[in-house]
Amino acid sequence: MRFAPHTLALLQALFVTFLWSTSWVLIKRTLTVLPPLLFAGLRYTLAAVVLLPAVLRRRTEVHALTRAGWGRLVALGLLFYALTQGGQFVTLRHLEAVTFSLMFSFSPVLVALAGIVTLHELPSGMQWLGMAVFIGGALAYFAGSTILAGRALGMTMAALTVCANAGSALLGRWVNRGQRLSPVVVTGISMSVGALVMLTLGIAIEGWPAISLSTWGVIAWLAVVNSAFAFTLWNRSLG
């Protein structure tokens, strides 16, 4: 069965979203034994190493990158990985996964609204309706709730992470649509930049605790399946 390009991109994005939703469960459980920045740095550094052979096979694309092209990939690495992904790990340290997941789901609304100006992509009528339903549901969920009591740091980090995620989606769309680069090159380079920042900060601020074999297993799964594979598929869907 063959799908139209837009349908295939949508299916890929949905599958990646499913993979990332499983990440949060694993991350939340593992944060009891690993500090957030070091955890994020290890995950994405390992994922970048996994992608390195594929990037090297496309060295012609890498050599053809202009200074502006490198700048866009570095910016994507800082925004999409160091800020967005690192922010998710830190937020999950201070906030319940369900609450953060609901807040994080506000990202598509911000992307849709900002995309009108930056990408000249107008939402359809059904998309406007979906955004209205989501906002109404979120307001109903938080109205009169004590969930937010004593969680100022977690809520602040969640808000910053949502904004960073929306910005990275717009930047990623622009990079993947405007440059003739394969998704694996975009993913490999930008992920390497963000991973290096997170790992450096994690070691400097949080140190290096003892890591069990089972914890390394979680890191490896998140790195290979939910990062190297999933982020490459995500960039492909944005092309």
Side-chain angles (χ1 to χ4, degrees):
M1 180 182 296
R2 299 188 64 179
F3 296 98
H6 289 297
T7 303
L8 181 59
L10 176 60
L11 292 174
Q12 290 173 342
L14 289 173
F15 180 63
V16 170
T17 302
F18 166 74
L19 286 178
W20 286 343
S21 67
T22 65
S23 297
W24 286 25
V25 178
L26 295 172
I27 292 169
K28 186 68 176 178
R29 293 181 60 182
T30 310
L31 281 172
T32 59
V33 295
L34 266 185
L37 286 178
L38 179 64
F39 188 5
L42 288 173
R43 170 187 176 177
Y44 289 106
T45 298
L46 180 56
V49 171
V50 171
L51 288 173
L52 182 60
V55 174
L56 292 177
R57 286 197 296 270
R58 294 165 175 80
R59 59 175 62 90
T60 302
E61 293 182 35
V62 178
H63 291 159
L65 275 169
T66 63
R67 181 176 298 180
W70 276 105
R72 286 190 285 267
L73 291 178
V74 169
L76 183 61
L78 295 175
L79 187 58
F80 193 28
Y81 294 98
L83 291 179
T84 301
Q85 308 307 319
Q88 287 185 36
F89 279 71
V90 175
T91 301
L92 286 170
R93 185 71 175 267
H94 300 281
L95 200 65
E96 293 81 359
V98 174
T99 302
F100 183 34
S101 177
L102 180 60
M103 294 184 64
F104 200 74
S105 298
F106 192 70
S107 297
V109 178
L110 294 180
V111 172
L113 295 177
I116 297 174
V117 177
T118 60
L119 299 175
H120 307 292
E121 297 177 350
L122 293 175
S124 65
M126 288 300 295
Q127 288 172 325
W128 283 114
L129 177 61
M131 286 189 285
V133 171
F134 167 75
I135 293 173
L139 291 175
Y141 177 81
F142 287 111
S145 174
T146 60
I147 295 174
L148 308 183
R151 292 171 172 79
L153 177 59
M155 295 300 295
T156 300
M157 286 302 306
L160 293 174
T161 302
V162 169
C163 292
N165 186 58
S168 63
L170 293 170
L171 179 58
R173 172 69 169 161
W174 181 51
V175 169
N176 285 282
R177 189 175 64 174
Q179 295 189 145
R180 294 181 178 179
L181 292 174
S182 59
V184 72
V185 171
V186 173
T187 306
I189 294 177
S190 60
M191 183 181 289
S192 297
V193 172
L196 181 61
V197 171
M198 289 185 288
L199 186 61
T200 301
L201 289 176
I203 294 174
I205 297 173
E206 301 165 339
W208 187 282
I211 304 176
S212 67
L213 186 61
S214 61
T215 300
W216 277 114
V218 172
I219 295 171
W221 175 268
L222 291 173
V224 177
V225 179
N226 291 24
S227 298
F229 170 72
F231 280 95
T232 300
L233 193 59
W234 176 255
N235 280 317
R236 185 183 299 277
S237 71
L238 292 176

